[in-house]
Amino acid sequence: MAENDRSMERISISIPAKLLKEFDEVISEKGYASRSEAIRDAIRDYITKYKWLQSMEGERAGSVSVIYDHNSPDVMGKVIDIQHEFSDIIVATLHIHLDKDHCLETILVKGDAKKIREMANKLSATKGVKLVRVSVMSPGGNVPE
């Protein structure tokens, strides 16, 4: 959709009741006029983050944080399998139990941005993974003195 294109499309989505309740609380606190406007903002933010991740090139160092539901069938095994697949860029991992159902895995990485992106995408696509956040920088290159 072009920036000046004001046409709107209607869509229908299914959201778990608990997630919708939390979303409604956030949009109320932020003062949105409607769910639609809040969802448009969330989609814009998602696209911006995706484009940023896709544009990364060269050597990078940082972290990939993953929150997953450990009750989801074999999610832990799949997360570990992905880590083994990318062991050449993984420096260390940290595992935290957030509550009785959720774990946080923080994976420290150093290597080619393309491989970091590929690992993050595989983790995001894994059933049972709730959230993946990538935070990386160029090591040594653009650090102010």
Side-chain angles (χ1 to χ4, degrees):
M1 181 168 80
E3 200 60 39
N4 59 2
D5 184 358
R6 292 292 201 206
S7 65
M8 297 281 187
E9 297 285 333
R10 286 196 172 273
I11 63 170
S12 176
I13 60 173
S14 298
I15 299 175
K18 182 180 177 190
L19 182 60
L20 182 60
K21 182 177 185 273
E22 288 181 67
F23 187 67
D24 284 342
E25 289 169 2
V26 169
I27 64 177
S28 175
E29 286 176 20
K30 290 189 78 172
Y32 280 101
S34 67
R35 281 183 183 156
S36 292
E37 186 55 39
I39 290 170
R40 283 191 290 272
D41 274 359
I43 290 171
R44 283 189 213 62
D45 183 58
Y46 182 84
I47 290 169
T48 299
K49 287 177 182 174
Y50 174 82
K51 286 180 178 179
W52 170 81
L53 185 60
Q54 293 305 108
S55 71
M56 278 194 323
E57 293 181 356
E59 183 79 7
R60 294 285 188 261
S63 65
V64 178
S65 296
V66 183
I67 294 178
Y68 60 88
D69 179 351
H70 79 96
N71 296 312
S72 185
D74 200 32
V75 68
M76 289 173 58
K78 290 175 185 171
V79 167
I80 290 170
D81 287 346
I82 292 168
Q83 289 181 46
H84 280 276
E85 183 181 343
F86 293 92
S87 62
D88 59 322
I89 61 168
I90 294 176
V91 177
T93 61
L94 173 67
H95 182 93
I96 300 171
H97 302 278
L98 297 175
D99 57 33
K100 70 179 188 69
D101 297 319
H102 299 95
C103 295
L104 167 66
E105 192 95 12
T106 298
I107 306 163
L108 300 181
V109 293
K110 183 173 186 272
D112 185 64
K114 181 180 177 187
K115 288 199 80 171
I116 295 170
R117 178 173 47 248
E118 187 181 343
M119 184 182 75
N121 287 341
K122 283 190 175 195
L123 289 165
S124 293
T126 302
K127 187 174 175 115
V129 169
K130 304 283 187 162
L131 186 66
V132 174
R133 288 287 183 259
V134 178
S135 176
V136 294
M137 60 194 77
S138 178
N142 299 330
V143 179
E145 305 251 345

